[in-house]
Amino acid sequence: MRSGKELWDLVKNQLKLEMASTDFSEIFDPITEIHKIHNKYIFLIVPDILTKFRIEKFYLDTMNKLLVQIEEDKHNFKLITREVADKENSDNQKLGLTSVDSVDRQVSKRNLRSEYTFDNFVTGESNRFAWMNAIKVAESPHVTVNPLYIFGDVGLGKTHLMMAIGHYILDNNIHANVVYTTAQQFAEDYFLATNKKNINDIEKFYNYHRSADILLVDDIQFLSGKNSTQEEFFKVFEHLFETNKQIVITSDRAASDLENMMARLKSRFAWGMLVDIKSPDLNLRISILKRKLAFLIPNPIDVPNNVLEFIATTFDQNVRDLEGALRRFVSFCVSFNLPFTLESAKQSLEGITPKNKLDSFVTNDTNIDKIKQTVASYYKITVSDLESTSRKQHITYPRQVAIYLIRSRYDIPLKKIGEFFGNRDHATISHSYDKIINDINSNLQIKNDINIIESKIEESLKKKEKNN
Ligand code: ADP
Ligand code: MG
């Protein structure tokens, strides 16, 4: 296999071809050193924490993809700041360890998803209390809230919040031993360790969890009915609790509702803080979409609000589905080179959108009037001009724009749209729509005009909502 440095140089060359040269030299030129290779990660040394954040947010995915193309041995990049890398080396020297060992222990336990941080967690009413307590625990583990028990339906951010605690603690103290496991993993490990009755395996299992400074156990409901595993978990819990170590647990239900779970365990859970996460409201769903977009495309503002509203209205139960829908929409537009319009959103999500949701996103005549008014005033003509049969260019074009805006915004039959514009037939409507899409893609000025008009429409519709 090639060395870490060779791999990085190859990826770097590739990046250079794909990026603007000023960005490249600013960000990547200074990165020339590998700290270590461990656990299938190649650790690159970056100058400071800001560079680290920036790369993690915008480039790390691409870097890892390039790496897979070059080297099939499934390595990934991780970033470490110069400061932390130096500290690791000097700590290891003090402890008389080789430069890798002691840190390996930390890193191997650090199986936290890199994007599940507090920074990336958007808060709203439904999750604020859970988030506040998570922050509390992260800032002062085993001082105030122990155990922290987070519960709620699937896909609402429990794992995210739990891992955010782990990241936060590790970011402040790389020597903290943060152990993340799922209850399922715990049960499997327990089974494997005790199955062969090999004392080494058993000891390893014991030490692994008992040496934690912070133990994160995801989806505890999985232990339901598994009595001997519960018994073992209870011992781990007691040990950590008595030695002032932090425990965080997630579950799909309240502790009191856990079935076939030892009463002793349930009551231990209740000693600490029990917090739930509920389904996010529309505002929070839209904010989450905006945050996730920043990871998906370079210019999140390219996706208009009405599209975000559509996705957020349609997928209102859990964040995982919401995010899935957004990804599907973006990759649909990108692969077929389509604009980020409501039309594309509907097409891309067709198979997974509940029918009643589509119906509920149609509009009423007042909204149509607002759009007509906005377009007419932008082009300095009148609404009756738009509705007239006139074929003068200075009227036809705004009319096509209005048709485009209505069609991309609402799910209305072409024939019906025709009725809004002096009974034009569906072919004319379809042609107008296609023409504007073409123009948007080929003419920056038009794209700009449309953006401005769309935001004016947003404003006027919002005003209307307020007045209602
Ligand atoms: P759970 O563990 O409750 O089933 P996850 O933590 O796996 O849910 O969350 C599912 C997805 O939704 C993840 O991608 C997560 O990042 C995202 N998510 C959930 N809540 C939020 C939030 N408040 N802000 C940002 N992303 C969120
Ligand atoms: Mg989870």
Side-chain angles (χ1 to χ4, degrees):
M1 170 189 156
R2 296 184 176 99
S3 76
K5 176 84 168 77
E6 281 168 337
L7 287 171
W8 169 232
D9 285 342
L10 286 169
V11 167
K12 207 167 154 184
N13 283 339
Q14 205 58 37
L15 279 171
K16 193 170 190 166
L17 298 175
E18 296 188 4
M19 288 174 65
S21 63
T22 45
D23 283 353
F24 178 86
S25 45
E26 184 195 340
I27 304 171
F28 290 107
D29 266 349
I31 306 179
T32 54
E33 261 180 85
I34 307 288
H35 176 54
K36 63 180 174 188
I37 300 188
H38 175 67
N39 250 0
K40 299 269 173 199
Y41 285 112
I42 300 173
F43 284 72
L44 300 173
I45 301 186
V46 295
D48 52 55
I49 192 85
L50 274 180
T51 314
K52 179 169 184 281
F53 283 160
R54 190 164 171 197
I55 296 178
E56 282 170 352
K57 190 156 179 175
F58 297 108
Y59 304 103
L60 193 57
D61 273 353
T62 315
M63 286 158 57
N64 284 332
K65 276 185 199 134
L66 291 172
L67 188 58
V68 173
Q69 290 169 12
I70 294 169
E71 174 73 56
E72 285 189 351
D73 202 19
K74 290 249 170 59
H75 276 82
N76 273 313
F77 287 116
K78 250 188 207 279
L79 307 167
I80 184 165
T81 58
R82 161 83 53 201
E83 197 187 338
V84 175
D86 287 350
K87 184 162 185 325
E88 260 186 33
N89 287 340
S90 78
D91 286 350
N92 290 338
Q93 272 169 8
K94 272 183 225 149
L95 294 168
L97 297 168
T98 60
S99 82
V100 186
D101 277 2
S102 92
V103 211
D104 286 359
R105 219 180 98 245
Q106 309 304 329
V107 175
S108 64
K109 288 172 188 171
R110 199 172 172 168
N111 48 0
L112 309 174
R113 287 187 61 159
S114 63
E115 71 276 23
Y116 284 6
T117 58
F118 282 123
D119 275 351
N120 294 333
F121 191 82
V122 189
T123 55
E125 239 167 80
S126 52
N127 60 22
R128 189 165 290 118
F129 190 61
W131 170 79
M132 271 168 41
N133 279 285
I135 293 266
K136 233 191 242 174
V137 164
E139 282 195 332
S140 38
H142 63 77
V143 174
T144 42
V145 179
N146 203 14
L148 174 63
Y149 182 102
I150 306 171
F151 67 101
D153 266 339
V154 54
L156 295 184
K158 302 182 297 292
T159 301
H160 186 141
L161 209 47
M162 166 178 258
M163 291 193 172
I165 297 176
H167 279 297
Y168 191 97
I169 292 174
L170 282 167
D171 285 346
N172 287 298
N173 171 13
I174 54 159
H175 296 288
N177 190 12
V178 173
V179 174
Y180 168 86
T181 185
T182 60
Q184 179 163 15
Q185 188 68 51
F186 184 89
E188 270 171 33
D189 289 349
Y190 179 61
F191 173 77
L192 289 176
T194 48
N195 192 27
K196 288 196 219 125
K197 306 223 174 342
N198 175 338
I199 195 73
N200 278 341
D201 289 346
I202 296 176
E203 233 179 80
K204 221 165 149 189
F205 174 83
Y206 273 30
N207 291 337
Y208 182 70
H209 300 96
R210 281 174 176 72
S211 68
D213 295 313
I214 323 291
L215 179 66
L216 309 170
V217 184
D218 212 351
D219 290 320
I220 198 76
Q221 75 277 358
F222 188 84
L223 292 191
S224 290
K226 299 190 168 51
N227 294 347
S228 55
T229 315
Q230 285 177 29
E231 193 69 54
E232 178 56 30
F233 181 67
F234 181 77
K235 288 187 217 152
V236 173
F237 187 103
E238 290 280 275
H239 175 83
L240 293 177
F241 194 86
E242 278 160 18
T243 48
N244 291 330
K245 302 298 161 69
Q246 178 71 48
I247 301 154
V248 182
I249 288 160
T250 71
S251 172
D252 69 349
R253 67 199 74 186
S256 53
D257 295 341
L258 286 167
E259 285 158 17
N260 301 318
M261 188 73 80
M262 285 168 31
R264 269 179 294 159
L265 261 182
K266 287 208 247 183
S267 79
R268 291 302 183 278
F269 296 159
W271 283 355
M273 177 62 91
L274 304 162
V275 294
D276 69 335
I277 303 187
K278 300 197 185 68
S279 290
D281 61 18
L282 181 64
N283 274 339
L284 179 57
R285 296 200 298 277
I286 292 179
S287 312
I288 292 176
L289 286 177
K290 286 186 175 160
R291 183 70 61 93
K292 303 278 172 188
L293 260 186
F295 289 96
L296 297 176
I297 51 174
N299 292 317
I301 44 168
D302 285 351
V303 179
N305 273 336
N306 64 332
V307 170
L308 297 180
E309 250 167 59
F310 170 71
I311 299 177
T313 315
T314 311
F315 298 87
D316 56 358
Q317 290 307 312
N318 84 55
V319 184
R320 189 171 300 149
D321 292 352
L322 183 70
E323 202 180 332
L326 182 72
R327 283 175 187 280
R328 186 169 162 140
F329 160 69
V330 169
S331 70
F332 178 83
C333 294
V334 172
S335 20
F336 296 109
N337 207 4
L338 295 168
F340 293 125
T341 57
L342 189 60
E343 184 66 21
S344 315
K346 284 178 187 162
Q347 274 183 28
S348 62
L349 303 177
E350 210 171 7
I352 55 174
T353 308
K355 183 79 187 87
N356 62 336
K357 296 286 181 183
L358 271 179
D359 290 343
S360 70
F361 212 71
V362 297
T363 180
N364 54 36
D365 290 357
T366 350
N367 291 356
I368 301 290
D369 287 343
K370 290 264 178 209
I371 295 178
K372 285 183 188 168
Q373 280 159 18
T374 313
V375 173
S377 99
Y378 186 81
Y379 289 102
K380 304 202 168 48
I381 55 171
T382 64
V383 170
S384 350
D385 285 339
L386 285 179
E387 293 166 345
S388 74
T389 51
S390 166
R391 292 180 176 226
K392 288 184 191 141
Q393 169 69 16
H394 80 284
I395 291 175
T396 326
Y397 200 77
R399 186 185 294 131
Q400 289 172 333
V401 168
I403 289 171
Y404 161 82
L405 289 167
I406 291 173
R407 175 145 163 70
S408 65
R409 200 176 177 87
Y410 299 114
D411 200 24
I412 310 177
L414 297 178
K415 186 166 172 302
K416 175 91 179 147
I417 300 181
E419 288 168 16
F420 299 138
F421 296 91
N423 267 332
R424 289 185 152 71
D425 64 20
H426 77 273
T428 313
I429 303 300
S430 174
H431 167 76
S432 306
Y433 177 79
D434 293 344
K435 169 152 186 14
I436 301 296
I437 292 232
N438 247 330
D439 289 357
I440 291 177
N441 284 326
S442 56
N443 184 329
L444 262 183
Q445 175 63 43
I446 306 286
K447 184 174 174 185
N448 222 356
D449 285 347
I450 301 280
N451 275 342
I452 297 174
I453 299 174
E454 280 194 322
S455 56
K456 284 180 191 289
I457 292 175
E458 268 339 301
E459 259 169 50
S460 96
L461 291 179
K462 271 208 194 102
K463 259 188 223 144
K464 189 188 122 225
E465 264 170 33
K466 272 197 193 133
N467 294 340
N468 277 348

